[in-house]
Amino acid sequence: MRVGDHVRLEKGDRAEEALVVGEYMASDARMAVVDWSTFTALAPDERPIAYHVKLREGTDPAAYARAAAAADPGLNPVAQGPNSVTRTIIGSAAALTLMLALVSALGVFNTVVLNTRDRRRDLGMLKSIGMTPRQVTSMTVTSMAVLGALGSVLGIPLGMAGYELVVPRMAEAVDITLPPYMTDVWQAPSLAALALAGLAIAVLGALVPARRAARLTIAEVLRNE
């Protein structure tokens, strides 16, 4: 079945033609979600057993449940907050993102340390002809910032391509169709933030080794060489 198809719903000796207008995520493949008029046409003697109320943003679910119970003692309201599974997935993704950022920063730090050690003689010669410690720091950080910018330019398209390749196949593997609001995650502000994050990781990772290199004296560098 696809959106736009017609389906015939039957219950006992009653039948009703319905138009598929959307998809519903549920574990029961035989369940159909219909409007009230279609339901009463198929089962006129049935009565509602539960009402789902979506609260406005900022409303306290517990307070609403208490007010509903006080208004009608026959009600048994249950307040539900954000889905625990969703919270777990988002929390795991956030933790993984932080770990990847930390590993990236350590990789940049290691690269800058090795690069600075290889260029100790060059830095000493530059300082001997008048380059200040601040200029040495700026030069080292800038060189790593360029690499960070290139990493962002290459990494973001590759990450988007990997997402488009992996996520739909994961959904197909468990036989579900993810709605667009769950899959359309690429917006200009988030992409800009990712690009700036790559640049920031490179700059922060280079800052400490760059300042250490800037503090080296000319005599110390040339003597070690």
Side-chain angles (χ1 to χ4, degrees):
M1 301 296 296
R2 297 183 180 273
V3 174
D5 291 348
H6 289 270
V7 60
R8 179 180 174 86
L9 303 176
E10 297 181 354
K11 181 174 174 60
D13 58 350
R14 295 177 178 270
E16 189 76 9
E17 292 289 334
L19 174 67
V20 179
V21 296
E23 294 178 283
Y24 189 84
M25 294 183 68
S27 57
D28 186 357
R30 295 176 60 84
M31 183 176 69
V33 180
V34 300
D35 60 12
W36 188 245
S37 61
T38 303
F39 180 77
T40 53
L42 292 170
D45 297 330
E46 298 288 344
R47 295 291 179 265
I49 60 174
Y51 294 93
H52 295 266
V53 180
K54 182 178 181 180
L55 303 179
R56 291 180 179 176
E57 190 71 26
T59 303
D60 184 4
Y64 179 85
R66 290 193 298 269
D72 188 344
L75 296 177
N76 183 28
V78 177
Q80 293 182 345
N83 188 289
S84 60
V85 175
T86 302
R87 279 183 167 181
T88 302
I89 294 174
I90 293 175
S92 301
L96 180 60
T97 301
L98 291 176
M99 291 176 60
L100 290 174
L102 180 60
V103 170
S104 301
L106 291 175
V108 171
F109 183 83
N110 182 65
T111 301
V112 178
V113 169
L114 296 177
N115 183 268
T116 304
R117 287 184 178 276
D118 290 339
R119 298 170 61 188
R120 285 167 67 94
R121 183 177 179 83
D122 296 336
L123 294 175
M125 296 299 295
L126 291 172
K127 292 185 71 174
S128 69
I129 61 175
M131 180 175 277
T132 65
R134 179 174 296 180
Q135 289 174 329
V136 173
T137 302
S138 300
M139 180 186 69
T140 308
V141 171
T142 302
S143 64
M144 290 300 106
V146 172
L147 292 178
L150 290 175
S152 296
V153 170
L154 294 174
I156 290 176
L158 289 175
M160 295 175 65
Y163 175 87
E164 298 297 338
L165 180 67
V166 172
V167 172
R169 284 165 174 75
M170 292 176 61
E172 291 175 3
V174 294
D175 197 25
I176 62 173
T177 302
L178 296 175
Y181 78 89
M182 295 179 65
T183 57
D184 296 342
V185 297
W186 305 112
Q187 288 84 32
S190 61
L191 294 177
L194 287 174
L196 292 176
L199 187 61
I201 289 173
V203 170
L204 293 176
L207 193 57
V208 174
R211 295 183 64 182
R212 181 175 297 175
R215 288 197 295 266
L216 292 173
T217 63
I218 299 171
E220 181 183 2
V221 174
L222 298 181
R223 183 175 65 249
N224 290 337
E225 290 293 332

